[in-house]
Amino acid sequence: EAGVTQFPSHSVIEKGQTVTLRCDPISGHDNLYWYRRVMGKEIKFLLHFVKESKQDESGMPNNRFLAERTGGTYSTLKVQPAELEDSGVYFCASNRGSGKRYEQYFGPGTRLTVT
Amino acid sequence: AQSVSQHNHHVILSEAASLELGCNYSYGGTVNLFWYVQYPGQHLQLLLKYFSGDPLVKGIKGFEAEFIKSKFSFNLRKPSVQWSDTAEYFCAVPRHDYKLSFGAGTTVTVRA
């Protein structure tokens, strides 16, 4: 089966611009997660979707970040307006069940650079 | 709050050397533990996991990890590394059943 895919692989934007990251989970996976790794730091949880519903967005840094999952398929993460501290690698993951025993399958990540 | 700490930021070793990466967690309840690996240019992938039972867990590619409850540790080991083991390794603990809490990661460079 196809894995989790993310687009773009790399984005360079200027401070104040808008960027939209996309994640396509593995087909049939109801659970979708976004994580972020700022350079030199650990990977941190941003939010969790079950189908189209946000179950937990406690990790979202602020209201400049907006995540959506229309129709419970792919998800987008929009940053508007982008700030320098938003630079990092944004990972998406998916799985069938949200219990701790379900492995999360990760995408390759989108490297966002804000200049 | 749960936290995960990895002892080494960067480890450099030669092929055939033994590898041990430290991971400690802080959590008082039932613990599930994971090691993920990210090879250069590839996705994060699960290396091994511990839920219950035998504290010595075998994973892919000859890796193993030992859960020591009294030490709050879950160290990753491989007796003889290969050049292809060059990667970044992450210890992780799931919180509330789904949020993965990661350590800072350890970059392992294996010299041929």
Side-chain angles (χ1 to χ4, degrees):
Chain A
E1 64 184 356
V4 177
T5 57
Q6 293 186 245
F7 182 84
S9 57
H10 193 179
S11 178
V12 181
I13 61 171
E14 292 183 352
K15 176 181 172 181
Q17 289 185 322
T18 297
V19 64
T20 301
L21 313 181
R22 174 171 170 144
C23 168
D24 286 79
I26 293 172
S27 178
H29 282 192
D30 287 341
N31 294 274
L32 187 148
Y33 312 84
W34 283 97
Y35 292 85
R36 177 175 77 168
R37 189 182 193 195
V38 171
M39 187 179 292
K41 302 287 187 180
E42 64 271 21
I43 301 169
K44 286 198 170 180
F45 169 86
L46 295 179
L47 85 158
H48 169 215
F49 283 99
V50 177
K51 296 185 180 178
E52 68 276 6
S53 299
K54 291 177 190 173
Q55 291 295 111
D56 182 349
E57 51 184 335
S58 61
M60 295 286 263
N62 50 60
N63 60 10
R64 295 185 293 103
F65 289 75
L66 175 64
E68 294 181 319
R69 192 181 182 195
T70 307
T73 55
Y74 70 90
S75 174
T76 57
L77 180 64
K78 181 190 286 189
V79 185
Q80 179 181 29
E83 297 290 342
L84 297 178
E85 64 264 26
D86 301 333
S87 295
V89 181
Y90 290 76
F91 293 101
C92 176
S94 72
N95 61 11
R96 288 188 185 279
S98 60
K100 61 182 72 176
R101 290 179 176 265
Y102 289 89
E103 175 183 349
Q104 293 183 22
Y105 295 86
F106 282 80
T110 293
R111 181 174 295 279
L112 174 64
T113 304
V114 183
T115 62
Chain B
Q2 282 188 33
S3 69
V4 181
S5 61
Q6 292 184 236
H7 306 160
N8 310 97
H9 180 63
H10 194 178
V11 173
I12 302 172
L13 59 167
S14 300
E15 278 195 316
S18 64
L19 172 71
E20 181 160 0
L21 302 182
C23 171
N24 285 90
Y25 63 90
S26 61
Y27 182 60
T30 302
V31 178
N32 300 114
L33 295 150
F34 301 90
W35 275 98
Y36 277 83
V37 60
Q38 187 172 26
Y39 298 102
Q42 295 189 28
H43 304 195
L44 267 167
Q45 58 184 284
L46 187 66
L47 201 52
L48 49 78
K49 57 190 175 187
Y50 170 80
F51 291 133
S52 62
D54 189 344
L56 185 61
V57 179
K58 304 278 187 191
I60 60 172
K61 305 189 179 187
F63 284 90
E64 64 178 32
E66 185 175 12
F67 170 57
I68 303 179
K69 189 175 181 179
S70 61
K71 295 185 178 180
F72 297 91
S73 70
F74 190 56
N75 292 355
L76 181 71
R77 299 194 292 252
K78 185 169 183 178
S80 176
V81 295
Q82 302 172 310
W83 176 80
S84 58
D85 293 322
T86 294
E88 192 162 14
Y89 294 80
F90 299 89
C91 185
V93 175
R95 296 183 292 146
H96 307 297
D97 284 355
Y98 58 88
K99 295 182 194 182
L100 288 176
S101 180
F102 287 89
T106 299
T107 300
V108 173
T109 301
V110 180
R111 292 181 172 156

